[in-house]
Amino acid sequence: RMETLSEREREVLDGLVDGKANKVIAFDLDISARTVEVYRGNVMSKMQADSLSELVRMVMIARLA
């Protein structure tokens, strides 16, 4: 599932896993907070995650593998 993510979606995902707020991710990536929300939705959809905690768990397991 992670392979389906675009580079920008992965950057947003990294911010989410690090516990950053959308506004902080937006500032770090020099994009708008609304754009982060769109990417976040895409990530949740592509990863088939129902919640942020589920998404973080999936990523942590994938990174350990």
Side-chain angles (χ1 to χ4, degrees):
R1 293 179 189 168
M2 289 188 68
E3 293 174 2
T4 66
L5 301 177
S6 70
E7 182 177 342
R8 183 61 88 176
E9 288 168 342
R10 288 177 195 214
E11 292 171 338
V12 170
L13 175 62
D14 289 340
L16 294 171
V17 171
D18 290 343
K20 295 180 180 178
N22 288 355
K23 288 182 180 181
V24 174
I25 296 169
F27 179 81
D28 290 347
L29 299 178
D30 196 30
I31 56 178
S32 74
R34 177 66 185 126
T35 303
V36 171
E37 291 173 14
V38 171
Y39 281 123
R40 180 179 177 154
N42 291 345
V43 168
M44 296 292 287
S45 185
K46 287 182 178 181
M47 294 293 291
Q48 300 174 8
D50 294 325
S51 66
L52 181 58
S53 62
E54 182 181 5
L55 178 67
V56 170
R57 194 175 8 223
M58 293 165 75
V59 171
M60 299 306 282
I61 290 169
R63 287 182 179 173
L64 291 174

